[in-house]
Amino acid sequence: MLFRIKFFCISNSIYMDYNATTPLDPEVIQAVTEAMHEAWGNPSSSYTPGKKAKELINWSRDNIAQLVGGRSEDIIFTSGGTEANNIVFYTAIKHFWDSHHKAGMNSAAGGHDGNSRVFPHIITSNVEHDSVSLTADNLVKEGKAQATFLPVSKVTGCIEVDDVIAAVRPTTCLISVMLANNETGILMPVAEISQQVKTLNQNRDSELPRILLHTDAAQAIGKVRVDVHDLGVDYLTIVGHKFYGPRIGALYVKRPGTSSPLHPMFFGGGQERNFRPGKMTGTNNFTEYSSHMREVKDYLEEKLLATFGKEKLNFNSHFKGSDRLPNTCNVSILGPNLKGQKVLLNCQRLLASVGAACHSDQGDRPSRILLTCGIPHAVAINALRISVGRTTSKADVDIVVEDLKQAVNELEGFTAQAGQ
């Protein structure tokens, strides 16, 4: 097998894996550096470095709130998106049992003693990030909940609103659907789901817990407009390193503890209003950035078509009638020896991936997300996820496509020689 080992300086490479992570914005680096020098104190303390830390945290909270159209008091900082998602699931389960107890139900009618037939029920999709899907799966395995993993449409790549509503049970306590898929870039109909859930909750038996709605917006923020009021969600997950920030997370909670329940997973200090105790460590020009990324991504797809031809390509992120992120191109270059990993290993300058970074250890196996969306195995295994960023240029695209062409020619030439 032909695998050319890469020997290159990182400055000579062209990064197009912005859905995996993004570099820190220079303004962020400056702000973090200043904070480490001047605001290193415990934000719960009364001395100057602690006061400065608290001021900086409050300023950051205001900025994050503005980013998603919420209020400052609705933002809870976390270690990352995984913690934020886990908090939501933990909260929903606890809220379910608290609601039952308040309604005067005993364990025989709906307790959680291990022998009950009634369990809190969760609805999610089968294309979620692992921090959602594995959390739900683990709750099922531990006998703490039941879960429905709804398939996305093979036509649109989206979860269908009618399927979500049809899956609701009297015991449904949480619906969690990502806002944008990290591999296909497809935008999910979260606002439409919210409208339907609102009607269900209004007509729901008063003894039943309200259905809570959560969306993981890690991939959407900084690329498309995100507004919690338009979405109508109780919870929204935010991940800093996906939009040029540090590796921290945040959770939007609609009026935490009042409108939407929120229960701490950890107990200790009083930071984050006791919802997330521990030591705590916006994006401007959004319209311009989004427009630029879409223009460059469209140019990339046009250049790929012009170079390889329509019959040689399959755009795995193109689904009829669906919107997608402006920066994401998931494409397979068709051929028996053109697996995505092989192609990338033979590229001299392109830095991209074959799918989610958390699945990078799966070797030659195709993405489960693509297979779930109806992409054939032979096509999915050749997939490349190329995601552009704010600074990606058309000149970068020209170089990357030529790089891909050279890698494909070498792999196909090796196949032809092997067959002689």
Side-chain angles (χ1 to χ4, degrees):
M1 297 175 69
L2 176 64
F3 290 101
R4 183 171 59 225
I5 300 175
K6 292 184 178 181
F7 294 100
F8 55 72
C9 174
I10 193 69
S11 63
N12 191 47
S13 62
I14 296 176
Y15 183 75
M16 290 195 183
D17 201 16
Y18 288 88
N19 282 8
T21 193
T22 57
L24 285 173
D25 186 282
E27 291 184 9
V28 173
I29 295 174
Q30 181 180 351
V32 170
T33 302
E34 290 176 359
M36 294 175 77
H37 283 290
E38 301 176 11
W40 48 266
N42 187 322
S44 299
S45 64
S46 58
Y47 40 77
T48 299
K51 289 181 178 179
K52 287 187 176 181
K54 188 172 183 178
E55 289 175 2
L56 185 58
I57 289 170
N58 289 337
W59 175 82
S60 300
R61 201 187 308 278
D62 288 341
N63 275 272
I64 293 296
Q66 293 175 23
L67 184 66
V68 298
R71 307 176 310 157
S72 177
E73 51 265 43
D74 296 334
I75 302 299
I76 308 295
F77 285 116
T78 66
S79 62
T82 294
E83 182 188 345
N85 289 341
N86 274 263
I87 288 174
V88 172
F89 278 72
Y90 176 87
T91 290
I93 297 300
K94 191 174 189 308
H95 179 64
F96 175 88
W97 293 120
D98 287 350
S99 299
H100 270 2
H101 294 155
K102 288 179 182 179
M105 295 184 177
N106 57 34
S107 61
H112 53 301
D113 57 1
N115 297 316
S116 170
R117 294 181 180 179
V118 177
F119 291 92
H121 175 239
I122 296 164
I123 299 172
T124 188
S125 82
N126 62 355
V127 296
E128 298 294 319
H129 188 270
D130 279 355
S131 59
V132 167
S133 61
L134 293 183
T135 300
D137 190 54
N138 190 61
L139 288 170
V140 173
K141 288 178 179 178
E142 291 184 351
K144 295 179 180 178
Q146 295 177 332
T148 299
F149 297 88
L150 294 173
V152 294
S153 166
K154 290 179 171 57
V155 175
T156 65
C158 279
I159 192 170
E160 299 289 347
V161 178
D162 289 345
D163 289 346
V164 174
I165 302 308
V168 171
R169 306 174 187 174
T171 55
T172 300
C173 62
L174 176 68
I175 297 173
S176 179
V177 176
M178 65 185 358
L179 190 53
N181 187 265
N182 52 322
E183 294 195 30
T184 64
I186 293 297
L187 300 176
M188 300 295 175
V190 174
E192 291 82 353
I193 293 171
S194 172
Q195 293 171 2
Q196 296 288 333
V197 170
K198 183 178 180 180
T199 300
L200 284 178
N201 279 329
Q202 289 173 344
N203 298 323
R204 200 165 170 85
D205 190 306
S206 60
E207 292 189 345
L208 295 175
R210 181 168 66 89
I211 302 170
L212 303 169
L213 182 59
H214 165 247
T215 188
D216 183 340
Q219 286 295 337
I221 294 175
K223 300 168 189 170
V224 296
R225 181 175 176 271
V226 176
D227 188 289
V228 291
H229 298 294
D230 290 346
L231 293 171
V233 294
D234 294 286
Y235 311 99
L236 182 141
T237 296
I238 303 162
V239 181
H241 75 93
K242 299 293 186 181
F243 57 99
Y244 301 86
R247 286 184 172 273
I248 61 170
L251 179 66
Y252 161 83
V253 184
K254 184 179 180 181
R255 294 180 176 82
T258 54
S259 177
S260 301
L262 182 63
H263 298 287
M265 290 182 67
F266 311 116
F267 297 89
Q271 289 86 5
E272 293 305 285
R273 292 152 285 165
N274 289 319
F275 291 124
R276 201 268 176 180
K279 304 295 189 293
M280 293 169 289
T281 313
T283 182
N284 297 323
N285 305 317
F286 159 73
T287 303
E288 178 185 345
Y289 290 144
S290 181
S291 177
H292 170 75
M293 287 187 286
R294 186 178 301 280
E295 182 179 350
V296 173
K297 182 262 297 175
D298 288 346
Y299 179 74
L300 167 64
E301 295 187 348
E302 292 168 4
K303 194 75 175 179
L304 287 168
L305 281 170
T307 301
F308 293 101
K310 185 177 181 181
E311 301 303 317
K312 189 74 173 176
L313 298 175
N314 189 79
F315 287 105
N316 306 315
S317 49
H318 290 190
F319 288 88
K320 185 178 181 181
S322 293
D323 292 329
R324 58 188 171 116
L325 295 174
N327 77 316
T328 305
C329 170
N330 194 307
V331 61
S332 294
I333 304 174
L334 306 180
N337 197 38
L338 300 179
K339 293 180 180 179
Q341 289 283 18
K342 275 189 178 182
V343 172
L344 289 178
L345 283 170
N346 279 272
C347 285
Q348 287 291 288
R349 302 189 65 179
L350 171 62
L351 299 181
S353 66
V354 296
C358 51
H359 298 147
S360 59
D361 61 347
Q362 292 185 352
D364 284 341
R365 285 182 291 172
S367 159
R368 70 169 179 87
I369 300 297
L370 295 185
L371 296 176
T372 295
C373 292
I375 306 298
H377 184 282
V379 176
I381 204 167
N382 286 20
L384 304 170
R385 183 185 68 175
I386 305 175
S387 45
V388 304
R390 297 175 184 174
T391 59
T392 309
S393 68
K394 291 183 179 179
D396 291 333
V397 169
D398 291 337
I399 294 169
V400 160
V401 173
E402 187 61 31
D403 197 19
L404 284 168
K405 180 182 177 182
Q406 179 178 331
V408 168
N409 287 342
E410 289 187 2
L411 287 169
E412 290 186 326
F414 177 76
T415 301
Q417 291 174 14
Q420 292 178 354

